[in-house]
Amino acid sequence: MSRKPFIAGNWKMNLTIAEGVELAKAVAAVANDAPTVDVAVCPTFVSVAKVADAVKSTALMVGAQDTFWETKGAWTRQIAPNMLADAGCQWVIVGHSETRGRFGGLSEEVQAKLAEVPGYFGESDKSVNMKAKAIFAAGLLPIIACGELPSEYEAGKTDEVVAGQIRADIAGFTEEQAMKMVIAYEPVWAIGTGNTCDPQTADKVCGVIRNTVKEVYGEKVAEAVRIQYGGSVKPGNAKELLSMPNIDGALVGGAALKAADFAGIIEAAK
Ligand code: PEP
């Protein structure tokens, strides 16, 4: 089955509203010229509505970087999926390693500080699963991120860790929802570090993810589901990564912040 490549930019905690709108307009022009590729940008919560408004008649889609599983109420700090839909989002990233408290490209000093904060961001497979269900219920689609820590990679536990995360993260969806979910394999040691996972290894792990989806939802869903690779994707390495049979797109951090770099990655996906 052919799966439409999906390139998504995670802007993280970067760009003012005006800068986000400007970048999104530039990316939208590239997305309009790439009808064979799905393209999305995921701005900060405060920029989502303005960015979505600026690109609403273009091919560029907009996502958020997280959400909560409730729809309203006394939940200080939280944003509900229906609010993101109202702001013009179509996608929501859940389970990013930076919200799970599994950090890659930070200095040891910063990681040690964060480790002292109990439950920092507090994301677990259970909360990822609850959020994904709430995202579907609001008519949005999740990009479910998973990936192993450097220590797990070095101990040869990548396949086991990633399959375990995915089994828990995707439990209890309908078949229709499972067909539409997107999974992003992001080895934590490759995020923001410049250390890209080599394409063969990334493809092998994406294959493990596809097999896990097959165990849970069967062959039809496993063949339909799109699996992105994320971790220091750049215009120079995108083509090789995206040519691998189990890699259907990219979740891009740093290189999504410059229109020319992000355009190079979209070009590589054509
Ligand atoms: C990410 O944060 O999802 C990511 C892949 O970041 P980068 O591309 O900067 O490694």
Side-chain angles (χ1 to χ4, degrees):
M1 177 189 281
S2 76
R3 295 177 289 265
K4 190 174 185 185
F6 181 21
I7 307 297
N10 173 12
W11 290 355
K12 309 194 185 187
M13 197 174 73
N14 292 294
L15 309 178
T16 61
I17 296 173
E19 287 165 347
V21 165
E22 192 187 331
L23 176 57
K25 282 183 178 166
V27 174
V30 180
N32 282 343
D33 279 343
T36 56
V37 184
D38 278 345
V39 185
V41 292
C42 303
T44 60
F45 286 128
V46 290
S47 299
V48 154
K50 281 269 163 75
V51 167
D53 198 43
V55 300
K56 69 171 179 279
S57 49
T58 75
L60 180 63
M61 298 183 283
V62 175
Q65 298 172 21
D66 195 9
T67 189
F68 195 52
W69 54 80
E70 294 289 343
T71 53
K72 65 174 181 178
W75 301 103
T76 299
R77 189 187 88 163
Q78 304 296 344
I79 313 265
N82 47 304
M83 294 168 181
L84 297 172
D86 185 42
C89 280
Q90 290 112 306
W91 294 93
V92 185
I93 299 169
V94 279
H96 192 280
S97 60
E98 288 155 15
T99 69
R100 290 180 190 257
R102 297 162 71 89
F103 295 101
L106 300 178
S107 69
E108 279 179 20
E109 192 191 343
V110 173
Q111 292 196 46
K113 277 203 184 113
L114 291 173
E116 284 168 18
V117 185
Y120 188 75
F121 288 148
E123 193 77 282
S124 65
D125 287 317
K126 178 76 189 161
S127 63
V128 170
N129 181 252
M130 289 165 74
K131 288 176 179 183
K133 286 175 178 159
I135 289 164
F136 283 125
L140 304 178
L141 295 172
I143 299 174
I144 300 169
C146 62
E148 80 284 8
L149 294 168
S151 56
E152 294 163 337
Y153 172 72
E154 277 151 27
K157 291 192 173 153
T158 299
D159 295 2
E160 180 192 329
V161 167
V162 168
Q165 287 176 327
I166 287 303
R167 243 177 243 120
D169 295 347
I170 68 172
F173 300 165
T174 65
E175 185 181 292
E176 196 194 344
Q177 290 170 340
M179 302 261 288
K180 292 184 184 157
M181 69 183 170
V182 167
I183 295 173
Y185 167 54
E186 301 206 299
V188 179
W189 49 270
I191 295 180
T193 58
N195 301 324
T196 321
C197 187
D198 73 80
Q200 288 72 24
T201 307
D203 187 61
K204 191 199 85 165
V205 183
C206 290
V208 169
I209 293 171
R210 202 173 298 288
N211 271 332
T212 309
V213 173
K214 189 173 161 187
E215 269 170 39
V216 182
Y217 291 108
E219 175 117 32
K220 188 170 134 204
V221 172
E223 283 305 307
V225 82
R226 290 184 291 180
I227 303 175
Q228 299 171 319
Y229 166 78
S232 300
V233 178
K234 303 176 197 79
N237 60 22
K239 194 144 194 102
E240 210 188 337
L241 283 160
L242 294 168
S243 70
M244 302 309 289
N246 277 304
I247 301 179
D248 309 311
L251 182 56
V252 185
L257 294 171
K258 289 204 179 111
D261 287 351
F262 200 51
I265 296 168
I266 296 166
E267 188 60 37
K270 273 184 180 171

